[in-house]
Amino acid sequence: MSRSVLSQRVSRFGTTVFSEFSALAQKHGAVNLGQGFPDFDGPDAVKEAAQRAIREGVNQYAITTGARDLRVAIAEHAARFHGQTVDPDTMVTVTSGATEAILDVLLGLVDPGDEVVAFEPFYDSYDANITFVGATPRWVPLRPPDAAHAQWWFDWDELRAAIGPRTRLLILNTPHNPTGKVFTREELERIGALCAEHDVKVLSDEVYEHITFAPARHVRPATVPSLADRTVTVSSGGKSFSLTGWKVGWIIAPPALRDAIQRAHQFVTFATASPLQAAMAAALRLPEAYFTDLAAAYLARRERLMAGLREAGLKAYLPDGSYFILADIAGFGFADDVAFCRHLVSEVGVAAIPPSVFYSPEHRHLGQGLARFAFCKTDAVLDEASRRLRAKLTPRR
Ligand SMILES: Cc1ncc(COP(=O)(O)O)c(C=O)c1O
């Protein structure tokens, strides 16, 4: 019998749903609200800083922890926006996007056989990376707003039950993809108390840190006292500067945790593209107005797409952060979210993502009544999507 070329580690992970729906979007000429990247470009000053760095010879390997000027800029940014004190020399590692940072954190802090607790729907690399390090995920479902909850919420008993003697790490994502939940200070304080009780470390994925909508306010978990000593903050410049293709990310962690993670990073990518590191330092130092304008522009896009979805008869949940909207697809007569999204892309001409792929098999049904729409798109694209939805999406009770 011939042996599979696939390692057991990767055998569970086929082509992602993003590839499938991007191909379908292209085939049907659909407006693509599936992919979570902007269809507009990042700031000129930052692009020019990258060009300048290349011209001026910043083209060889950076130091593995990250170019010092970028580490200083990351520390300054953490103080400016989050009131967090960061030592650029002992607490920061620059990575190739948040994606690499997440793998480094798991490699550095989690052993085979350990358990990792995370909320679902989850960002898909969490599941894969937990598997890659031989750990077991314990998923806690977020539940949609209802009569008793104004926002997405979770059951504290379910969270408590998921944490056990083998739990090494809890993954938080705030603002959250795809629900748009922004964890409140009170939730973070209670999570901190639980993690302290069970000696659990926290990975806080904050790639949407600058995309929140008042009255919601992003609270950096590492600034909550009970979480400060146990939290690794992961972020990147992709979403904050509309430069997702650059893949410049970073971790901020107490020195002992950063040391563990750096040990992994040095053998995963060793270092991240030098000229882009120089430019990211310039990005993080942009004036206040840049960040205020970014959030204001996303607020306008959120309102635009929310109106379009509602006019098409979809019950859309208002996100407090990130650039995604989840909509309830009950009432449209489809067996599940995949069937709905296939119909949407081929018959309506709009691509969305079926969120059931962001759930464990146990809770997959929770995602089967939803569709995810991205609003990191220009007004013309959002308007065309809304027009098509209004014209062609009809309830099929
Ligand atoms: C929640 C979350 N974490 C991490 C990432 C990956 O970030 P990066 O592009 O910096 O690797 C994404 C990208 O979509 C994301 O949504």
Side-chain angles (χ1 to χ4, degrees):
M1 202 169 65
S2 72
R3 197 169 167 246
S4 166
V5 295
L6 298 173
S7 72
Q8 289 174 17
R9 204 176 292 117
V10 300
S11 60
R12 196 159 63 79
F13 306 109
T15 318
T16 69
V17 69
F18 300 100
S19 314
E20 183 196 338
F21 277 90
S22 286
L24 283 174
Q26 209 162 20
K27 181 173 160 202
H28 295 285
V31 178
N32 197 343
L33 302 189
Q35 290 172 326
F37 60 80
D39 65 355
F40 43 86
D41 221 347
D44 286 342
V46 179
K47 291 189 290 182
E48 277 153 21
Q51 288 165 353
R52 197 163 50 246
I54 291 172
R55 243 187 350 260
E56 292 177 358
V58 186
N59 296 305
Q60 307 309 324
Y61 290 134
I63 171 175
T64 172
T65 50
R68 187 157 197 287
D69 187 48
L70 174 54
R71 282 185 283 117
V72 170
I74 289 166
E76 289 167 0
H77 173 273
R80 174 157 67 128
F81 289 99
H82 306 294
Q84 184 188 18
T85 305
V86 172
D87 177 352
D89 295 317
T90 60
M91 295 175 65
V92 180
T93 285
V94 174
T95 58
S96 296
T99 308
E100 187 218 323
I102 292 160
L103 178 61
D104 293 345
V105 173
L106 283 155
L107 285 168
L109 302 183
V110 175
D111 278 319
D114 284 344
E115 293 182 3
V116 177
V117 173
F119 295 95
E120 56 186 348
F122 48 76
Y123 179 58
D124 55 358
S125 83
Y126 301 163
D127 185 32
N129 288 351
I130 292 168
T131 302
F132 289 170
V133 301
T136 304
R138 296 279 174 231
W139 302 110
V140 178
L142 292 174
R143 299 180 186 279
D146 56 23
H149 304 89
Q151 305 301 337
W152 287 78
W153 60 282
F154 57 93
D155 182 333
W156 286 96
D157 288 338
E158 283 186 321
L159 177 60
R160 245 180 249 111
I163 299 177
R166 305 234 51 171
T167 309
R168 205 62 179 268
L169 187 74
L170 181 143
I171 303 180
L172 271 177
N173 171 210
T174 183
H176 183 261
N177 168 9
T179 65
K181 177 179 174 64
V182 176
F183 283 73
T184 63
R185 181 173 292 279
E186 196 220 335
E187 285 174 327
L188 295 173
E189 281 167 357
R190 282 183 74 181
I191 289 172
L194 259 180
C195 290
E197 185 187 331
H198 296 274
D199 193 20
V200 170
K201 304 285 184 282
V202 172
L203 185 173
S204 176
D205 176 346
E206 298 171 40
V207 299
Y208 300 99
E209 62 183 284
H210 285 292
I211 307 176
T212 57
F213 311 112
R217 226 188 113 253
H218 175 61
V219 177
R220 170 155 289 184
T223 62
V224 170
S226 55
L227 284 167
D229 290 344
R230 58 184 65 255
T231 298
V232 178
T233 305
V234 167
S235 195
S236 70
K239 325 288 175 179
S240 298
F241 304 107
S242 310
L243 295 167
T244 59
W246 282 24
K247 301 295 286 186
V248 180
W250 51 87
I251 67 117
I252 300 172
L257 299 181
R258 189 280 206 144
D259 174 61
I261 296 158
Q262 172 61 36
R263 287 173 192 230
H265 164 72
Q266 67 185 333
F267 294 122
V268 175
T269 56
F270 180 71
T272 294
S274 316
L276 301 186
Q277 291 199 41
M280 194 53 71
L284 288 168
R285 291 182 175 124
L286 284 171
E288 206 77 13
Y290 168 79
F291 298 93
T292 320
D293 290 352
L294 179 86
Y298 271 115
L299 176 64
R301 291 183 195 112
R302 180 188 75 164
E303 300 308 294
R304 216 175 182 94
L305 186 59
M306 281 297 292
L309 295 173
R310 282 177 179 151
E311 281 164 23
L314 284 155
K315 179 178 155 200
Y317 297 111
L318 189 71
D320 276 341
S322 87
Y323 48 51
F324 300 106
I325 296 174
L326 286 181
D328 188 329
I329 58 168
F332 285 88
F334 291 91
D336 61 18
D337 57 333
V338 176
F340 175 85
C341 289
R342 286 207 179 111
H343 170 83
L344 208 64
V345 71
S346 60
E347 306 303 322
V348 179
V350 175
I353 293 292
S356 58
V357 297
F358 307 135
Y359 287 83
S360 61
E362 186 192 346
H363 295 123
R364 189 141 295 158
H365 61 280
L366 296 175
Q368 284 172 340
L370 301 167
R372 190 194 82 171
F373 297 86
F375 57 91
C376 44
K377 308 293 169 189
T378 45
D379 287 352
V381 169
L382 295 175
D383 288 348
E384 178 58 17
S386 299
R387 194 190 63 73
R388 292 183 184 195
L389 288 166
R390 261 196 321 268
K392 295 201 187 139
L393 183 65
T394 41
R396 302 198 313 185
R397 263 176 224 286

